[in-house]
Amino acid sequence: MNRRLKTLLIKTKRQVFSEMIGNNPSLFHGEGYDFSELREYQVGDDIRKIDWTITAKLQKPYVKIFHEERELNVVAACMAGGSLFFGTHRIKHDVVTETAAILGYSAVKNGDLFTGAVVGDTVEQIERPTKRIFGVNRFVERVDGLNLLGRHSDYIGGIRSLFDRIKRKSMLFVIGDFLTDVDLALLSRRHEVIAVIVRDRFEEHPVPLGQVHLVDPESGRTLQTSFGERSVRKYRARVIENDKNLYRHLNRHRIRFVKIYTDEDPFGKLVKLFGGRV
């Protein structure tokens, strides 16, 4: 494991295990809860669990205590395409790697099962479900070490392959840049799907560059062209149309999503996605 990845894992582990304290014990919770008992409020309890009716009657704060019915199976599906090999602040690949680590450590901390998958045209790698930090580290190291150039991420065929491989109902995070046609409908019928959209701001708001030599990181094809004002407008229109279709699709199938730019902290964005419940 290289020094850069070790530093990232130390930072991420500290965020998950040190900052998830007090009223915010975990990034996500189990699928279901049974009511267990009422007890008087204690310092450190989640104030959202206060039963205000009983509190008003007894003139003392009381909280509802629940126990989880089932553990979660948390799946991080990393879409491994050459387009992730791009970034102005840092490359998108690094953000995907860090996001997978956050999800893995959060699952372990919560006592849930974590499964990691690498998806291209099909499911290329899939880790056995684990509750151990070692298992999370192993998957994250594999994601970080991927050679993305020449790879294609297929959000239709690859996702269909993922559906065939993940049988158990899961909280399934699809992590990628979503810059192509997407179909998560089938996946959302069995799982709770969350789309983590990783982008660089330059991809959405490019500036004229003049004469440039471009290389497609997925196909390897090259193009010598002038990227001026007209080219910028045409490119922006295609990105806007792609994202309109994407958001329409996600909303239609009630799939939550979060967009993380390469200059942002993935941990903070995921915390916000789950309503501050870290």
Side-chain angles (χ1 to χ4, degrees):
M1 185 181 296
N2 60 58
R3 181 175 297 180
R4 177 189 55 79
L5 181 58
K6 284 182 180 179
T7 301
L8 183 147
L9 291 180
I10 290 171
K11 167 204 166 188
T12 304
K13 197 179 301 181
R14 183 183 297 118
Q15 286 178 317
V16 172
F17 287 91
S18 299
E19 297 185 23
M20 291 182 178
I21 57 175
N23 291 333
N24 302 308
S26 178
L27 186 65
F28 27 73
H29 297 287
E31 292 178 317
Y33 296 85
D34 278 341
F35 174 72
S36 177
E37 62 176 320
L38 275 171
R39 67 162 169 76
E40 194 169 344
Y41 175 84
Q42 299 175 2
V43 176
D45 286 339
D46 190 340
I47 61 173
R48 292 170 298 180
K49 295 180 180 178
I50 293 177
D51 186 317
W52 294 105
T53 302
I54 299 299
T55 296
K57 287 181 180 179
L58 301 180
Q59 297 299 300
K60 288 184 178 180
Y62 275 78
V63 295
K64 291 181 178 180
I65 305 300
F66 298 84
H67 69 265
E68 295 186 29
E69 292 179 328
R70 300 174 295 276
E71 66 185 5
L72 276 172
N73 186 44
V74 179
V75 178
C78 300
M79 305 303 294
S83 61
L84 294 181
F85 196 74
F86 177 81
T88 53
H89 182 77
R90 57 174 173 159
I91 64 172
K92 293 181 287 182
H93 183 195
D94 290 345
V95 179
V96 170
T97 301
E98 184 172 346
T99 300
I102 293 169
L103 297 175
Y105 289 147
S106 297
V108 169
K109 183 179 185 295
N110 203 37
D112 296 321
L113 287 168
F114 174 74
T115 302
V118 175
V119 185
D121 293 319
T122 184
V123 175
E124 299 177 5
Q125 297 177 8
I126 190 164
E127 293 285 326
R128 294 180 61 183
T130 183
K131 290 187 176 182
R132 300 176 59 191
I133 287 178
F134 171 78
V136 175
N137 289 348
R138 182 175 57 192
F139 174 68
V140 172
E141 188 172 7
R142 286 189 178 180
V143 173
D144 182 70
L146 288 172
N147 181 9
L148 296 175
L149 295 178
R151 287 176 177 264
H152 172 64
S153 51
D154 189 342
Y155 288 81
I156 298 178
I159 292 297
R160 191 175 298 117
S161 175
L162 185 65
F163 176 82
D164 293 336
R165 297 290 299 273
I166 306 294
K167 303 294 186 181
R168 179 181 175 183
K169 184 177 180 181
S170 305
M171 177 177 280
L172 199 157
F173 294 81
V174 180
I175 313 168
D177 55 20
F178 291 80
L179 286 171
T180 185
D181 293 336
V182 174
D183 187 357
L184 303 178
L186 185 63
L187 210 59
S188 67
R189 293 176 190 172
R190 177 183 295 169
H191 308 287
E192 179 183 356
V193 179
I194 298 97
V196 182
I197 305 166
V198 178
R199 296 275 179 86
D200 189 90
R201 296 186 190 276
F202 188 83
E203 290 177 311
E204 298 182 359
H205 303 282
V207 296
L209 298 174
Q211 197 71 20
V212 292
H213 181 78
L214 302 176
V215 180
D216 185 333
E218 293 195 352
S219 68
R221 290 180 297 181
T222 62
L223 175 66
Q224 193 84 25
T225 186
S226 177
F227 196 67
E229 291 285 356
R230 184 179 177 184
S231 298
V232 167
R233 287 195 299 269
K234 289 175 65 176
Y235 171 83
R236 283 279 297 130
R238 291 182 63 180
V239 171
I240 291 171
E241 183 64 23
N242 175 83
D243 285 356
K244 281 183 179 178
N245 293 333
L246 171 62
Y247 299 146
R248 190 182 301 119
H249 176 75
L250 296 177
N251 290 327
R252 182 187 303 127
H253 298 287
R254 299 181 180 180
I255 296 171
R256 285 185 290 172
F257 65 90
V258 60
K259 182 181 286 187
I260 305 174
Y261 290 103
T262 56
D263 61 350
E264 293 183 315
D265 176 24
F267 181 79
K269 296 300 290 282
L270 289 170
V271 167
K272 188 175 181 180
L273 171 68
F274 286 91
R277 192 172 71 241
V278 291

